[in-house]
Amino acid sequence: RADRADRAADAPLLGLGAAGHGAMVAPLSRNAIDRFLHADVNASGRHLQHCGCANATTGKCRNGQACFWYSQGCTIGCPSCDNVTGRMQTDLCGLGKRATLNDPLHRSVNRAAAAGSDLDVYKHNPWRAPGTAPVVDACGMAGGSPGDQWMPEWGFFTDTTYAKKGDLGTHLPEVKTATVWRAGSVHEAVWQVEANHGGGYQYRLCPKTEAITEACFQMHPLPFAGSQFVQLSNGTRFDVKPTYVSDGTSPAGSTWALNPIPARCLSGKCHEGKQCTPPEPGNPDQTPCDDTPEPAFEPPCPEGSQPGLCSGNQPSEWMAAAVVDTIQVPKGLPPGEYVLGWRWDCEATAQVWSNCADLTIVAADSPDFVV
């Protein structure tokens, strides 16, 4: 166990910066626009870091820097994000919004703490009232902070000819794919966790006839179809009993899914036996509870002698583990061109990760649809 804590402490997740945290893998997102650049491409003195990922098949997974597009300093009930604060563990705007998701089995970390207590230290973060935290951009911001500002919780985003730190995901060009979904049918979507901050997520649509905004996505949340898997990069799949939440969510009654991959070592200060303590007022970098090498809940696959295979930060030292969901496309959805949004509301941090993909919806009775 001590060696796992040492490995976690060496991971560049805190303090001066953050590694990529999560991304949609399939359908291919606009945020992966730089996926064909080589990892040794140098821009402004930095080397491009490709996001690790596991495909829905065993084929090559190219996802570029898609895992570096996010909003931070975003706590529930606030009108905007501050672009700076990831781990203050406080109500950043002071408006007093209370967590709506309090069932321990729906929480992803620190489940032993009584909801609303001093030890419920993550109660202001996005997952505790899914969909109510603001975002900077509906498709994420490159590096999580604007321009050339380097601050706590900025991401290691490398400027390329395609995008630079501080760019907004809604300004990225379309990525033409062959993704076609039929109204009334069930399709798979895949996302990859890297630095695991727990929480949960939702898939949404926005018609291309409208501006791509958070408000547009909130008008068109997609229901889950009920099947969920954890897929390893060697092609192995494990059935997961999904945990869905629809009470206390935004839009009201919409369904969100709990991240089924439990976190381990929420910070670089993780160690065995670390005690849960209330947050220190004014401390901008604190992860005071559930910050140990043990998984926050039971991993969704048998890890055996490979701790972290389907828990903690990904890829593990063995391979990558991704989350596969089945999505129900509403039968009456008008055919046309859409943007698919993936939004991951974190629980251990005041962060929201967002990716956007292009797809076509065809009518339920379309004779041209091919699976």
Side-chain angles (χ1 to χ4, degrees):
R1 292 179 177 177
D3 64 330
R4 297 206 304 270
D6 291 342
R7 288 199 299 271
D10 290 337
L13 304 181
L14 295 178
L16 294 178
H21 288 31
M24 181 161 53
V25 176
L28 179 68
S29 75
R30 297 181 179 186
N31 308 78
I33 190 172
D34 51 8
R35 64 195 178 280
F36 291 118
L37 293 181
H38 294 294
D40 61 355
V41 169
N42 189 284
S44 303
R46 295 189 56 79
H47 290 276
L48 183 73
Q49 298 184 49
H50 278 264
C51 303
C53 56
N55 255 336
T57 69
T58 56
K60 176 68 175 178
C61 187
R62 296 182 182 273
N63 219 24
Q65 296 186 95
C67 59
F68 294 93
W69 295 80
Y70 62 106
S71 305
Q72 66 176 335
C74 315
T75 52
I76 59 175
C78 290
S80 61
C81 306
D82 69 11
N83 297 323
V84 177
T85 312
R87 296 174 185 263
M88 184 80 79
Q89 312 306 351
T90 191
D91 178 0
L92 292 174
C93 62
L95 294 180
K97 169 74 175 177
R98 293 184 179 273
T100 57
L101 194 157
N102 292 310
D103 185 335
L105 295 180
H106 293 164
R107 287 153 50 186
S108 59
V109 293
N110 199 28
R111 289 178 164 184
S117 69
D118 288 345
L119 294 183
D120 186 13
V121 297
Y122 306 123
K123 59 193 172 192
H124 302 294
N125 292 334
W127 178 241
R128 294 301 297 277
T132 68
V135 294
V136 174
D137 187 82
C139 300
M141 174 188 281
S145 58
D148 58 358
Q149 299 178 55
W150 301 104
M151 57 191 65
E153 295 299 320
W154 53 260
F156 291 119
F157 189 88
T158 300
D159 292 354
T160 71
T161 55
Y162 297 107
K164 64 182 184 302
K165 183 175 174 293
D167 282 356
L168 301 180
T170 53
H171 295 175
L172 289 170
E174 295 184 17
V175 174
K176 295 295 185 182
T177 70
T179 304
V180 179
W181 286 4
R182 182 173 60 189
S185 61
V186 173
H187 295 272
E188 288 189 351
V190 184
W191 76 280
Q192 176 74 51
V193 65
E194 293 216 2
N196 195 342
H197 298 328
Y201 57 95
Q202 185 182 68
Y203 290 96
R204 308 91 63 77
L205 290 175
C206 179
K208 289 186 181 178
T209 54
E210 301 179 25
I212 304 170
T213 63
E214 179 64 19
C216 181
F217 281 132
Q218 293 226 2
M219 290 291 292
H220 307 282
L222 287 172
F224 293 94
S227 296
Q228 187 181 66
F229 312 92
V230 166
Q231 165 130 352
L232 305 182
S233 49
N234 66 1
T236 302
R237 275 193 176 188
F238 298 95
D239 287 298
V240 177
K241 182 180 180 181
T243 297
Y244 296 136
V245 177
S246 56
D247 291 331
T249 60
S250 182
S254 65
T255 303
W256 293 65
L258 177 76
N259 173 9
I261 297 180
R264 297 173 181 258
C265 281
L266 292 170
S267 82
K269 301 172 185 176
C270 162
H271 61 80
E272 192 76 35
K274 184 175 179 179
Q275 297 300 304
C276 179
T277 59
E280 302 172 12
N283 183 348
D285 184 7
Q286 52 185 325
T287 312
C289 294
D290 213 0
D291 190 22
T292 75
E294 299 305 312
F297 53 89
E298 187 69 24
C301 77
E303 295 187 325
S305 61
Q306 298 176 309
L309 180 65
C310 56
S311 60
N313 298 335
Q314 294 292 323
S316 69
E317 61 185 279
W318 294 280
M319 64 188 78
V323 180
V324 183
D325 286 284
T326 51
I327 307 298
Q328 177 67 60
V329 183
K331 187 172 183 179
L333 190 68
E337 299 298 315
Y338 287 81
V339 175
L340 174 70
W342 164 81
R343 171 173 165 155
W344 172 28
D345 281 17
C346 295
E347 184 170 3
T349 59
Q351 297 172 318
V352 176
W353 298 77
S354 308
N355 279 181
C356 291
D358 298 283
L359 56 77
T360 301
I361 301 293
V362 297
D365 57 355
S366 174
D368 300 325
F369 180 78
V370 178
V371 178

